[in-house]
Amino acid sequence: MIEVVPNPVTTVMRALADPTRRAVLERVFESKEITVGELTIGSGVTQGAISQHLKSLKQAGLVAERAEGRNVYYRAAPQGLEPLVAWMDHYGVFWRERFQNLRELLKEIDP
Amino acid sequence: MIEVVPNPVTTVMRALADPTRRAVLERVFESKEITVGELTIGSGVTQGAISQHLKSLKQAGLVAERAEGRNVYYRAAPQGLEPLVAWMDHYGVFWRERFQNLRELLKEIDP
DNA sequence: GATATCGATTAGTAGATACTAATGCATTAG
DNA sequence: CTAATGCATTAGTATCTACTAATCGATATC
């Protein structure tokens, strides 16, 4: 089954399917902004590999970038996860399972 | 970065990353129960391929099976998506984005 | 019992993908 | 101006993956 241009769900899922890449994304999510060099440290792979992963993540719409001098700062783009949320939503799993948590959360935020 | 046994998030994401396999899962989700033969029809791939995809999905905990005679009936196992939900939950994306929808949904269910 | 059907499994293959090492291009520092 | 740093990109490689075609075991049908 050929998809000439993969649909957004596929793109996002594929981006998240690799543990190294997901680890990169998680670090981006946890920091307000982070450079490629910082991401490389402790990643276990080379700087080139990190740049490649960031490219995938950017294409998937999961991160955004800002160049400043010779550094490039990456930041999270959580809207990129929307296709995934929509997919799960459609298959119903979500609300039913998380219902209780939800209710509590709503109370906390707006009692 | 080696993961001898891939963690559950990776397993689930990988299972969902392939469009053909995801299409199979979607059909399982939409039917109460469905056989391998039925899934093969209109899938665009061979019966062998479908069996292989079902194996992945089963390993990911996304489907369950029941043999009856020479047929095997597959059904959805939505709890298999829990690792994905948990992952998204942890990175916060979920609630913030869906907040409005949520609120409405809650009202409908329990006004 | 012989034959057909269902589904899993296997071997083989083409293409994808995650990585490294090397290089190139800016930008900053000396 | 020259050297060093930060990041992207490229070419090359090993491994993984999605598929087919073929086969096998089990169950059902004739």
Side-chain angles (χ1 to χ4, degrees), chain B residues 31-107:
Chain B
S31 18
K32 210 163 69 75
E33 278 196 327
I34 187 165
T35 66
V36 178
E38 290 173 310
L39 283 169
T40 300
I41 295 168
S43 71
V45 296
T46 61
Q47 176 267 312
I50 295 295
S51 272
Q52 290 166 23
H53 284 307
L54 287 167
K55 191 177 181 179
S56 297
L57 292 170
K58 195 172 88 181
Q59 280 172 181
L62 293 167
V63 300
E65 52 177 341
R66 171 181 72 86
E68 183 180 306
R70 55 186 174 183
N71 294 317
V72 177
Y73 293 87
Y74 280 85
R75 62 181 180 281
Q79 335 80 273
L81 285 167
E82 169 58 23
L84 218 171
V85 175
W87 184 86
M88 298 189 68
D89 200 356
H90 185 250
Y91 289 99
V93 227
F94 192 82
W95 310 116
R96 284 192 271 283
E97 290 187 3
R98 286 282 153 148
F99 197 81
Q100 209 45 48
N101 300 16
L102 259 183
R103 183 167 290 290
E104 284 158 24
L105 184 91
L106 285 173
K107 254 188 254 167

